[in-house]
Amino acid sequence: MGGRPSGIITGTGHAAGRGSIQLLDDQHWHALPADEVADLLEADREEGLDRFTVEHRRSQFGLNRLTPAKGPGPLRRFAAQFADPLVLILIAAALVTIYLGEWIDAIVIFAVVLLNAVVGYLQEAKAVAAIEALSRAMTAEATVVRAGDQVRLPATEIVPGDLVLVQAGDKVPADVRLFRARELRADESALTGESLPVEKDCGVVPRDAVLADRLDMAYASTLVTHGTGAGLVVATGDRTEVGRISQLIQGAQDLKTPLTRKIAQFSKLLLFVIVALAGVTFVVGLVRGEDLVAMFRASIALAVAAIPEGLPAAVTVTLAIGVSRMARRRAIIRKLPAVETLGSTMVICTDKTGTLTQNEMTVRRVVAGGTGSTVSGVGYGPEGEIDPTPSPAVREVLLAGVLCNDTALNLNDGRYEVAGDPTEAALLTSAAKAGMTAADEAARLPRLDAIPFESAHQYMATLHDAGHGRRAVYLKGAVEKVLARCTAAAGADGAPSALDADAVNRQVDALAADGLRVLAFARGTPPDGTGSIGHDDVAGGLTFLGLQAMMDPPRPAAIAAVAACHRAGVAVKMITGDHAATAAAIARDIGITRSGDGVLTGAEMAAVHDDEFIELADATDVFARVTPEQKLRLVEALQSKGQVVAMTGDGVNDAPALKQADIGVAMGITGTDVAKDAADMVLTDDDFASIEAAVEEGRGVFDNLVKFLTYALPTNVGQGLVILTAVMLGTALPIEPLQILWINMVTAVLLGLGLAFEPKEPGIMERPPRAPGSPIVSRGALIRIVAAGIILLVSAFAVFEWALASDLGEEAARTAAVNVFMSVQIFYLFACRSLRRSLFTYDPFGNRIIVLGVVVVAVLQVLFTYAALMQTAFDTVAISGAAWLGILAIGVGAMVVMDLLGAVLRRLHID
């Protein structure tokens, strides 16, 4: 047993005075006897604290609530939104348009910058919202004893040393060292991941026991499901276990997503290229003896040409469409870039309870009369059956489970809710599948007395009136405790027969190996007229009835979803607070592992150094009995291997890892507010299968972003090359800065954005995940961009020079050059609808948004060329029909060339 730790504290910076105490700083209260805990807290286990002591301790330790997260102020957070390189490029574009006197364009670009900043600022509040949810989780009332009086008061007023009383239905208000517990069980699943309520005990536990094994402690924000208890408060507010999780959330780094990282890298590169090319253009022109002002305008024109003004809008719209598509598939996105992150996910770390499993205990096997029966159906609903048809022996076991039971199942809004213990609820459900209801059996065999379950005895017994003065006793509990009280066994027909304890134990071992929790049942016949029972009445002479074996079953779609993730090259790792055997069985059933071997426990994780753990984390698929810190450490270890990690969960204990992961996925139905606020995405149906759908949509989003970049960037490349070539050759600019802005905005917004609506490519879930270090523009996309840019350069310059040679004048030549740009981009758009197939293999008019965009742009180009107002604004003139034929022919030719290039790239396996 652990002795008294040496480190002590005296509160939060306040001087110790009357009522002040010194508390342990390493939280080993579970390892100290209750008397010693009372001495350290200077507390009375009968009378509680007096009024003056409470006031002093509240001054010393503060209110029992979580401290809000501290961070940059609102202005700093808002200003930080403008530090992104892409935003700087946009600001530069706006300044250039102001210089050119185009105030409307400048206002539009500044509006885009401001909108992006506002959205980013709002998302920054995620961590603060998680802390506030934790604070709300602790807002409740509590029953305490003060100066001998039992009172109810807000949980925020509790102080260390308070004597707290808890009973079924209460939320534990603070961390409490128990000194009295009667049938006390607490649901700690949100804190530890343990799927079953934990039976509490007042005895000292080892100092190195993990959180889930500290049976003498009750923790803040957990729920009492059964029994009563009393204890002394040992930690409040930030010093509770849930408070430590709050600190973990604050400390977890809010990582950038793969998309934002790649956009940032691309933006920095683009910023460098723009500045360099503008500088080269200016210097080369001066060296050639060109006019200083003319070269300045040429440099500005090149900069405007190279800035992709439509990129932020395209990214936002594409992600927003992904959000809409995911919402239809029961996944709500809280942060736009999370859409794409799912598509690049390499590892999904998932909690077991309530995520892969139903979080509803279900009886799977019944053993009675020497034979086994299989129980179908999942959850607490009565749907399902027992195969084969229940024999008299099986029905007697089911009857015992109904009568020896203190739990109720209530149907509320189509969902069964448990009032009591989940294990007992599973027994009610298994009986209901055989047509036996608790109400009917209780009326037929009214209860007269009961021996409640206590951990010291590990069984429960009930006495019933069997009619005509006869009595019946039913007992359920741990197999070894029940067998020790039995001298006979019920045969298949229910009649007594010889008891083979070894055979029963072999059956129990086989069931336990499958991860099932096994309960045994027995029956006794006390003397007629007996009105009460005690432990002596069930000490022996009972008849063994059989076994019921249960588990928290996998979700129906979880097996297929895990298999789909594996086919897509996405690893699935299960993280749970349950025991290793249970975790291994679930992992084997779901298909996470083939054999169920290779489980790493929290104790084993704590014993290895970081370097070794990184390798173990990568190689292991099942992690059991883990703490919140270890979940966080696991995510960090996988990320250190370059993995893009998605973390799913629903409990308070999942929140730090949800926030640290590249994308956190919370459960919408069973998830706590803390988990939802820490996550990037919430599943409205709590179904792991929705993860597969979200990954698929995420991959589609990234595909469409790449299509947009492959389509839009050649415009910037071609314009930049046209201007650079004109300066090098000493000729007039084929396109003016204002015309460049027109081309950029029209092609990106009206044409390029249509690619965001493209459906997903066939076989999208048969590809492996993208490598995290791969650039957003792949080698194949870069080749397409450069090739299309060169086509634009050659065709636009050729048409411009032809028009000048034909004495059509510079205005007509520039008008023709602009229309060449638009024609090539219109036809090239159809070649970009798929980068993995030829445009001749799919319906060219299948995307109605693109067709509509092409029609609108064609109308705008006619107005651009012939409308007097547009001619004045953009220095354009009318061109002949013959010129239009040539322009359209160039566009069609460019489309065919780019489609042939795509075929070559596919043949060479260049993505």
Side-chain angles (χ1 to χ4, degrees):
M1 299 299 176
R4 182 181 300 193
S6 58
I8 57 176
I9 64 168
T10 59
T12 55
H14 299 279
R18 177 182 174 183
S20 297
I21 52 173
Q22 294 179 323
L23 297 185
L24 305 175
D25 64 356
D26 47 5
Q27 298 186 347
H28 288 120
W29 296 100
H30 59 279
L32 299 175
D35 289 340
E36 187 171 346
V37 171
D39 290 342
L40 286 167
L41 293 170
E42 299 179 12
D44 189 315
R45 292 200 286 168
E46 298 296 331
E47 298 293 319
L49 302 177
D50 60 44
R51 171 184 172 184
F52 299 105
T53 302
V54 169
E55 291 177 355
H56 280 288
R57 294 191 181 179
R58 186 174 297 126
S59 173
Q60 181 184 359
F61 294 100
L63 292 175
N64 179 33
R65 62 186 181 193
L66 301 179
T67 303
K70 295 180 179 179
L75 290 178
R76 285 186 58 189
R77 290 207 308 269
F78 185 72
Q81 307 304 318
F82 298 94
D84 186 270
L86 184 57
V87 174
L88 293 176
I89 292 176
L90 284 171
I91 292 173
L95 294 175
V96 169
T97 55
I98 289 174
Y99 170 81
L100 296 172
E102 296 299 322
W103 293 99
I104 294 178
D105 289 324
I107 291 171
V108 169
I109 295 175
F110 274 127
V112 170
V113 171
L114 184 61
L115 179 62
N116 286 336
V118 170
V119 172
Y121 171 79
L122 294 177
Q123 293 297 335
E124 287 287 323
K126 186 177 75 169
V128 176
I131 301 303
E132 291 175 350
L134 277 167
S135 297
R136 292 194 300 272
M138 294 186 64
T139 302
E141 287 193 338
T143 302
V144 301
V145 176
R146 287 186 176 168
D149 295 327
Q150 182 174 313
V151 295
R152 290 282 290 178
L153 47 76
T156 54
E157 296 185 13
I158 286 177
V159 298
D162 257 328
L163 171 55
V164 172
L165 308 179
V166 293
Q167 61 182 3
D170 285 348
K171 181 179 285 188
V172 180
D175 286 1
V176 176
R177 171 62 166 90
L178 299 168
F179 62 80
R180 185 168 66 245
R182 181 173 176 80
E183 308 172 50
L184 184 63
R185 297 172 222 166
D187 180 359
E188 298 181 344
S189 60
L191 189 62
T192 67
E194 174 69 62
S195 58
L196 291 172
V198 178
E199 298 174 10
K200 292 299 179 179
D201 192 306
C202 300
V204 176
V205 299
R207 181 189 181 101
D208 59 356
V210 298
L211 194 69
D213 294 334
R214 298 174 187 175
L215 304 182
D216 59 346
M217 297 289 296
Y219 291 106
S221 81
T222 62
L223 183 68
V224 176
T225 62
H226 194 273
T228 61
L232 297 175
V233 173
V234 297
T236 58
D238 292 338
R239 293 182 54 76
T240 61
E241 288 296 325
V242 75
R244 293 196 307 113
I245 293 176
S246 168
Q247 299 302 315
L248 290 173
I249 295 175
Q250 294 181 47
Q253 185 180 2
D254 199 358
L255 296 181
K256 290 186 175 182
T257 69
L259 176 65
T260 56
R261 284 193 292 259
K262 289 171 183 176
I263 290 291
Q265 293 167 358
F266 176 74
S267 300
K268 290 177 182 176
L269 176 63
L270 194 58
L271 186 61
F272 173 78
V273 170
I274 290 171
V275 173
L277 286 179
V280 168
T281 301
F282 186 75
V283 172
V284 168
L286 291 181
V287 169
R288 292 180 56 85
E290 300 289 345
D291 179 68
L292 179 67
V293 174
M295 286 303 96
F296 182 65
R297 288 183 59 83
S299 298
I300 290 176
L302 190 144
V304 171
I307 295 173
E309 291 89 351
L311 180 57
V315 171
T316 300
V317 170
T318 303
L319 293 178
I321 292 168
V323 168
S324 176
R325 288 177 175 176
M326 286 188 177
R328 290 196 293 268
R329 303 185 75 169
R330 302 184 183 279
I332 304 301
I333 299 298
R334 300 182 66 248
K335 194 172 185 180
L336 275 182
V339 178
E340 183 276 332
T341 310
L342 274 166
S344 59
T345 296
M346 306 174 74
V347 180
I348 299 176
C349 294
T350 173
D351 185 54
K352 177 187 76 69
T353 305
T355 306
L356 291 170
T357 64
Q358 298 277 355
N359 200 18
E360 296 182 346
M361 294 300 293
T362 304
V363 173
R364 305 298 290 269
R365 299 289 304 278
V366 178
V367 179
T371 60
S373 300
T374 301
V375 184
S376 65
V378 295
Y380 296 131
E383 297 78 15
E385 59 185 24
I386 300 175
D387 185 35
T389 301
S391 64
V394 170
R395 293 189 69 85
E396 192 69 10
V397 170
L398 297 175
L399 177 63
V402 171
L403 295 177
C404 201
N405 200 310
D406 287 330
T407 293
L409 278 174
N410 302 311
L411 184 61
N412 187 14
D413 293 331
R415 184 182 179 89
Y416 283 91
E417 296 180 349
V418 178
D421 187 90
T423 299
E424 292 187 335
L427 300 177
L428 295 178
T429 302
S430 64
K433 292 173 183 178
M436 304 166 65
T437 67
D440 290 345
E441 301 306 329
R444 188 170 65 88
L445 295 166
R447 182 188 294 190
L448 301 175
D449 196 16
I451 301 174
F453 182 91
E454 294 181 356
S455 57
H457 297 101
Q458 296 185 27
Y459 65 79
M460 173 186 179
T462 53
L463 175 66
H464 297 268
D465 181 356
H468 306 292
R470 293 179 293 114
R471 300 290 186 261
V473 169
Y474 288 95
L475 182 140
K476 80 164 187 288
V479 176
E480 63 274 15
K481 298 296 183 181
V482 174
L483 277 177
R485 288 164 170 74
C486 296
T487 55
D493 58 358
S497 63
L499 173 64
D500 187 347
D502 290 338
V504 173
N505 285 321
R506 286 194 296 272
Q507 291 172 324
V508 171
D509 290 341
L511 294 169
D514 288 332
L516 298 173
R517 184 186 184 209
V518 184
L519 287 178
F521 300 84
R523 180 187 62 205
T525 307
D528 292 348
T530 301
S532 63
I533 56 170
H535 291 290
D536 291 342
D537 298 317
V538 293
L542 302 180
T543 299
F544 181 76
L545 297 178
L547 309 168
Q548 291 197 56
M550 64 191 68
M551 71 184 304
D552 183 9
R555 288 182 173 272
I559 297 174
V562 169
C565 287
H566 286 165
R567 288 195 301 273
V570 179
V572 180
K573 296 181 184 291
M574 188 173 79
I575 309 171
T576 178
D578 273 344
H579 292 282
T582 303
I586 289 289
R588 183 177 61 248
D589 290 346
I590 292 176
I592 292 177
T593 61
R594 292 185 177 180
S595 64
D597 297 332
V599 179
L600 192 66
T601 66
E604 293 167 339
M605 291 169 65
V608 298
H609 295 294
D610 286 344
D611 290 342
E612 182 181 355
F613 178 66
I614 289 172
E615 300 303 321
L616 281 174
D618 193 39
T620 306
D621 291 326
V622 184
F623 302 84
R625 307 299 279 174
V626 298
T627 65
E629 293 92 339
Q630 288 171 331
K631 289 189 177 188
L632 187 59
R633 185 187 180 202
L634 175 61
V635 172
E636 291 172 332
L638 293 170
Q639 288 173 333
S640 71
K641 293 279 288 185
Q643 306 272 31
V644 178
V645 181
M647 168 72 183
T648 73
D650 57 2
V652 173
N653 62 325
D654 296 324
L658 285 173
K659 188 169 183 290
Q660 174 66 29
D662 294 278
I663 178 167
V665 184
M667 303 297 111
I669 298 175
T670 59
T672 60
D673 287 342
V674 179
K676 293 174 188 176
D677 287 338
D680 301 284
M681 185 176 84
V682 178
L683 301 182
T684 60
D685 58 358
D686 284 16
D687 197 335
F688 181 83
S690 298
I691 298 293
E692 176 204 351
V695 169
E696 182 180 354
E697 292 295 344
R699 291 187 174 191
V701 164
F702 189 82
D703 274 2
N704 289 346
L705 281 174
V706 171
K707 291 173 186 177
F708 173 82
L709 291 173
T710 305
Y711 167 76
L713 292 182
T715 302
N716 305 104
V717 172
Q719 291 171 339
L721 290 175
V722 165
I723 293 168
L724 188 60
T725 302
V727 172
M728 294 292 185
L729 297 178
T731 65
L733 294 180
I735 44 180
E736 292 284 351
L738 204 56
Q739 296 169 342
I740 289 171
L741 277 175
W742 169 264
I743 294 172
N744 286 354
M745 299 305 292
V746 169
T747 56
V749 176
L750 295 179
L751 295 177
L753 283 183
L755 293 169
F757 296 88
E758 278 297 310
K760 294 179 290 294
E761 296 275 359
I764 196 170
M765 288 298 286
E766 304 299 325
R767 312 178 205 157
R770 298 186 313 278
S774 61
I776 191 169
V777 177
S778 65
R779 187 159 59 114
L782 182 61
I783 291 173
R784 293 172 190 261
I785 290 168
V786 172
I790 291 173
I791 289 175
L792 285 169
L793 164 68
V794 173
S795 56
F797 219 98
V799 168
F800 179 75
E801 291 296 327
W802 167 80
L804 290 179
S806 302
D807 294 328
L808 298 179
E810 285 191 4
E811 288 186 343
R814 289 194 177 101
T815 302
V818 169
N819 280 299
V820 164
F821 260 90
M822 299 305 299
S823 176
V824 170
Q825 285 299 93
I826 286 174
F827 286 99
Y828 177 48
L829 178 63
F830 291 97
C832 288
R833 285 191 56 206
S834 176
L835 303 182
R836 297 175 177 271
R837 295 177 293 162
S838 169
L839 67 90
F840 299 107
T841 63
Y842 53 84
D843 181 6
F845 305 108
N847 187 329
R848 295 181 180 179
I849 302 298
I850 284 180
V851 174
L852 177 62
V854 168
V855 172
V856 172
V857 169
V859 172
L860 287 176
Q861 283 309 116
V862 171
L863 295 175
F864 176 86
T865 306
Y866 297 104
L869 181 64
M870 301 287 273
Q871 288 177 340
T872 302
F874 292 97
D875 291 328
T876 59
V877 295
I879 56 177
S880 66
W884 277 113
L885 288 176
I887 289 168
L888 292 175
I890 291 173
V892 173
M895 178 180 68
V896 173
V897 170
M898 293 306 299
D899 191 64
L900 291 174
L901 175 61
V904 173
L905 293 175
R906 288 189 291 272
R907 182 175 293 274
L908 296 176
H909 303 289
I910 300 176
D911 293 330

